[in-house]
C-alpha cells in the first residue's frame, strides 16, 4: 500500500478554456503521459520516465520475462556501446550511419550507441564458439535502452531517440531449426498481446537493413500510427498494404497502426562476416543460422495508451496499470470522516492489497471525493474504491468503479474482496503451454 501524497507525480494543470499552442504535442498518448506526470522531456527525443510510468514498464517487463520462459530464453546484458568495427564488417555502418550516435575513446577507437545488437551478439558467439549442435537452438535476450538519432523525433515515446527494447536472438544449426523456433516465439508474442488485451496483428514485412529470409511486423491499430495495416473483416487476415485480402478475396479495412514489434529470420548475414560458427553432427564447422525478435517496450506502453485511451483519460492494458486499485476516503471534516477516517480507509486498502497486491490510497483528504475521483479516472486505475456516504453504515459499504465503468457497485468489504479476487484472476500472467 502506498499513499498518493508521497508519489512523485508532477502533474501539468491546464487552465479551463486555455488554448494550447504547443505544437510539439502531436498525439494523445504523449499529451496524457506528460500532463499526468508520467514522463518529462529532457531534450528533443529524450524523456525521463517518472515513478508511475516506471511501475507500468516494470510490470510489462515482468510479463515479457515470464512469457519468454516458455521458449527457454536466457537473459543477458550486452554493452550499450558497440565497436564500429563490427558494423563495418557487416556493411551496416554505411547503410544506417545517419541514424547512429557515435563516439570515440581516448585511443581514437570508434564506438556507437547501439540501436540493436545483431553484430555484438554474433561477435559473442564467435568469441565463445564454435557452438556445438547439442546446445542449439539457443535463445538469449536482453532488455536495455537503445539509441537512434531520429531526424524528427515526435509522438513522445512512440518515436524517441532513446527507447527501451527487448531484443531476443536465436542461434540454430540450419533453417529448419530456425523456422521451428520462429514459430514457437511467434506463439509467445501472440500470448503476450493477449495478456495485454491489445489487438496486435502479425503482417509480412520487408527485411530492410536487417536482412534475412523472413520478416514480420507486429502492428497495433491506432489513429496516431505512422504505418497502416489492412485487415479483412471477413477472415481477419492482415497485411501492410492491400485493398483486397489475398486469403479470401474480400475488401479490407485500412487503418493507421503502430509497429510494436518486429521478428526476423536473419540467416547467416551476421554469422558469416563475424565468423560465428557451430559444429554440426558429423560435419565441419558451419555458420550459425540466426533469428531475432524485438519488442519496443516504451513504445508498446505508449501505443497501448494511444489505442485504448480517450482524449482526456488514460486507459491502460489492465495488466500493466501502475496500481491495480486506488482507495479514496472521505473528505476531512465531513460526517463520513468522523466515522471512517484515515485509519479506516487505509484498513480497507490493506484488505484489498491482500487480493490485488498493489494498492494506492489517495490520502489528499482536503480535496472532495468528486475531485479525487475525477483525477483517478483520468489516470485510468482499473479499480477505484470510494469510501463515501455508505461507509458509515453497519456494515460499511463501498463504491467500486471497476474497469472504468461509470456506474458503481455497492459492496461490503467481503463482497468487495470477492469481486476483486474473481476479477484479478483474469490478469494473472500464465504463459505455460
Amino acid at each position: 500500500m502506498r499513499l498518493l501524497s508521497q508519489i512523485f507525480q508532477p502533474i501539468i494543470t491546464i487552465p479551463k478554456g486555455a488554448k494550447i499552442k504547443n505544437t510539439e504535442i502531436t498525439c494523445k498518448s504523449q499529451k496524457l503521459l506528460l500532463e499526468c506526470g508520467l514522463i518529462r522531456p529532457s531534450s528533443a527525443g529524450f524523456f525521463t520516465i517518472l515513478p508511475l510510468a516506471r511501475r507500468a514498464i516494470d510490470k510489462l517487463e515482468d510479463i515479457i520475462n515470464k512469457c519468454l520462459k516458455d521458449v527457454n530464453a536466457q537473459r543477458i546484458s550486452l554493452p550499450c556501446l558497440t565497436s564500429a568495427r563490427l558494423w563495418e564488417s557487416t556493411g551496416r555502418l554505411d547503410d544506417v550511419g545517419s541514424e547512429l550516435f557515435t563516439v570515440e575513446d581516448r585511443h581514437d577507437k570508434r564506438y556507437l550507441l547501439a540501436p540493436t545488437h545483431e553484430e555484438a551478439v554474433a561477435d559473442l558467439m564467435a568469441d565463445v564458439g564454435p557452438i556445438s549442435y547439442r546446445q542449439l537452438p539457443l535463445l538469449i535476450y536482453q532488455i536495455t535502452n537503445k539509441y537512434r538519432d531520429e531526424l524528427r523525433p515526435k509522438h513522445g515515446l512512440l518515436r524517441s531517440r532513446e527507447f527501451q527494447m527487448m531484443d531476443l536472438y536465436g542461434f540454430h544449426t540450419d533453417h529448419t531449426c530456425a523456422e521451428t523456433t520462429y514459430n514457437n516465439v511467434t506463439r509467445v508474442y501472440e500470448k503476450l498481446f493477449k495478456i495485454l488485451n491489445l489487438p496486435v496483428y502479425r503482417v509480412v514485412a520487408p527485411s530492410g537493413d536487417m536482412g534475412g529470409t523472413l520478416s514480420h511486423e507486429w502492428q497495433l491499430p491506432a489513429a496516431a500510427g505512422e504505418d497502416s495495416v489492412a485487415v479483412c473483416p471477413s477472415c481477419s487476415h492482415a497485411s501492410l498494404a492491400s485493398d483486397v485480402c489475398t486469403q479470401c478475396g474480400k475488401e479490407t479495412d485500412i487503418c493507421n497502426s503502430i509497429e510494436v514489434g518486429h521478428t526476423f529470420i536473419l540467416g547467416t548475414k551476421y554469422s558469416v562476416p563475424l565468423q560465428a560458427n557451430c559444429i554440426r553432427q558429423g560435419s565441419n564447422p558451419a555458420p550459425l543460422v540466426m533469428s531475432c525478435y524485438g519488442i519496443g517496450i516504451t513504445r508498446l506502453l505508449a501505443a497501448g495508451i494511444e489505442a485504448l485511451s480517450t482524449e482526456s483519460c488514460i486507459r491502460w492494458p489492465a495488466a500493466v496499470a501502475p496500481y491495480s486499485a486506488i482507495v479514496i476516503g472521505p473528505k476531512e471534516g465531513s460526517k463520513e470522516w468522523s466515522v471512517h477516517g484515515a485509519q479506516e480507509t487505509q484498513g480497507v486498502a490493506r484488505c484489498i492489497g491482500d487480493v490485488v497486491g498493489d494498492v494506492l490510497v489517495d490520502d489528499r483528504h482536503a480535496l472532495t471525493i468528486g475531485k479525487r475521483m475525477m483525477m483517478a479516472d483520468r489516470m485510468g486505475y482499473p479499480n477505484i474504491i470510494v469510501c463515501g456516504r455508505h461507509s458509515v453504515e453497519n456494515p460499511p459499504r463501498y463504491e467500486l468503479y471497476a474497469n472504468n465503468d461509470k456506474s458503481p457497485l455497492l459492496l461490503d468489504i467481503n463482497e468487495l474482496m470477492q469481486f476483486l479476487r474473481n476479477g484479478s484472476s483474469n490478469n494473472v500472467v500464465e504463459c505455460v503451454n
Side-chain angles (χ1 to χ4, degrees):
M1 181 187 71
R2 288 293 300 265
L3 302 179
L4 183 56
S5 64
Q6 297 175 356
I7 299 289
F8 180 55
Q9 186 184 8
I11 292 173
I12 299 173
T13 302
I14 308 297
K16 189 174 181 179
K19 294 183 178 180
I20 308 302
K21 297 182 179 179
N22 187 353
T23 57
E24 293 181 359
I25 297 179
T26 53
C27 65
K28 63 183 175 183
S29 61
Q30 180 185 14
K31 176 178 181 291
L32 290 168
L33 287 166
L34 286 169
E35 292 181 359
C36 291
L38 299 169
I39 64 174
R40 200 80 173 183
S42 56
S43 58
F46 294 93
F47 295 89
T48 299
I49 306 296
L50 298 173
L52 291 176
R54 184 67 253 175
R55 281 184 64 88
I57 292 171
D58 288 345
K59 286 187 173 185
L60 181 53
E61 283 186 27
D62 187 54
I63 294 172
I64 291 172
N65 286 328
K66 289 177 179 176
C67 284
L68 289 180
K69 289 180 180 179
D70 238 11
V71 287
N72 297 317
Q74 303 173 64
R75 188 169 180 176
I76 64 170
S77 293
L78 292 161
C80 289
L81 286 174
T82 300
S83 172
R85 172 185 56 82
L86 299 179
W87 281 60
E88 288 174 344
S89 299
T90 61
R92 285 211 298 175
L93 189 62
D94 292 331
D95 293 342
V96 194
S98 63
E99 294 185 359
L100 299 175
F101 287 104
T102 59
V103 297
E104 290 186 359
D105 67 10
R106 66 184 68 195
H107 305 294
D108 297 324
K109 291 184 178 180
R110 194 179 180 196
Y111 297 85
L112 54 92
L113 282 168
T116 184
H117 278 84
E118 285 73 28
E119 283 85 356
V121 77
D123 185 58
L124 171 66
M125 292 299 109
D127 185 49
V128 300
I131 305 295
S132 168
Y133 70 93
R134 293 186 178 89
Q135 296 176 265
L136 303 176
L138 172 65
L139 286 171
I140 56 178
Y141 78 101
Q142 60 176 351
I143 297 176
T144 58
N145 284 5
K146 301 291 195 298
Y147 303 87
R148 184 173 296 144
D149 191 7
E150 292 278 2
L151 180 62
R152 287 182 294 274
K154 66 175 184 177
H155 292 345
L157 297 183
L158 292 179
R159 190 199 282 182
S160 56
R161 288 175 165 166
E162 180 182 32
F163 50 96
Q164 195 164 352
M165 184 175 173
M166 185 286 296
D167 47 329
L168 169 68
Y169 299 99
F171 302 92
H172 320 276
T173 54
D174 53 37
H175 282 278
T176 300
C177 177
E179 288 172 3
T180 300
T181 302
Y182 191 88
N183 292 333
N184 291 337
V185 177
T186 290
R187 286 191 286 272
V188 168
Y189 269 52
E190 291 168 347
K191 195 172 295 184
L192 167 66
F193 296 127
K194 185 177 180 180
I195 289 169
L196 298 176
N197 199 25
L198 292 174
V200 177
Y201 294 95
R202 187 184 79 153
V203 295
V204 176
S207 296
D209 294 324
M210 293 285 287
T213 60
L214 183 65
S215 168
H216 288 94
E217 292 178 3
W218 297 76
Q219 295 280 348
L220 174 63
E226 297 182 284
D227 296 329
S228 61
V229 63
V231 181
C232 177
S234 178
C235 68
S236 299
H237 180 264
S239 62
L240 276 182
S242 177
D243 293 327
V244 177
C245 178
T246 57
Q247 300 295 308
C248 68
K250 301 291 181 63
E251 289 190 5
T252 61
D253 296 328
I254 298 178
C255 58
N256 290 354
S257 60
I258 300 167
E259 180 189 336
V260 295
H262 208 146
T263 54
F264 303 83
I265 292 182
L266 299 171
T268 60
K269 174 177 178 177
Y270 301 91
S271 56
V272 166
L274 295 169
Q275 301 179 35
N277 297 322
C278 67
I279 299 175
R280 299 178 183 175
Q281 188 174 14
S283 64
N284 295 324
L288 283 161
V289 176
M290 291 177 58
S291 56
C292 72
Y293 315 85
I295 292 176
I297 291 180
T298 43
R299 174 181 279 197
L300 177 57
L301 183 78
I305 292 172
E306 190 68 40
L308 301 177
S309 300
T310 69
E311 291 295 331
S312 58
C313 298
I314 294 176
R315 295 295 178 255
W316 305 89
V320 299
Y323 285 90
S324 299
I326 185 169
V327 178
I328 298 173
K331 183 180 180 181
E332 192 171 6
S334 65
K335 179 181 68 174
E336 292 80 11
W337 176 260
S338 63
V339 177
H340 201 288
Q343 289 187 349
E344 289 77 11
T345 298
Q346 292 182 27
V348 171
R350 279 190 287 270
C351 290
I352 293 170
D354 291 338
V355 177
V356 300
D358 53 338
V359 180
L360 191 60
V361 176
D362 191 337
D363 59 329
R364 299 169 300 170
H365 303 298
L367 299 177
T368 65
I369 285 179
K371 177 70 171 176
R372 284 177 286 161
M373 282 181 60
M374 182 181 69
M375 297 171 76
D377 182 55
R378 181 167 168 77
M379 270 295 299
Y381 296 110
N383 296 289
I384 301 173
I385 296 97
V386 177
C387 308
R389 57 192 178 92
H390 297 281
S391 65
V392 299
E393 296 175 359
N394 188 16
R397 291 190 295 168
Y398 307 98
E399 299 167 30
L400 169 65
Y401 298 82
N403 301 315
N404 312 120
D405 195 337
K406 301 299 181 183
S407 301
L409 298 172
L410 198 57
L411 307 170
D412 66 29
I413 190 64
N414 292 322
E415 294 169 334
L416 176 60
M417 292 177 66
Q418 185 61 41
F419 182 95
L420 294 174
R421 187 175 290 111
N422 293 339
S424 65
S425 64
N426 296 328
N427 295 327
V428 172
V429 177
E430 180 58 64
C431 290
V432 178
N433 286 325

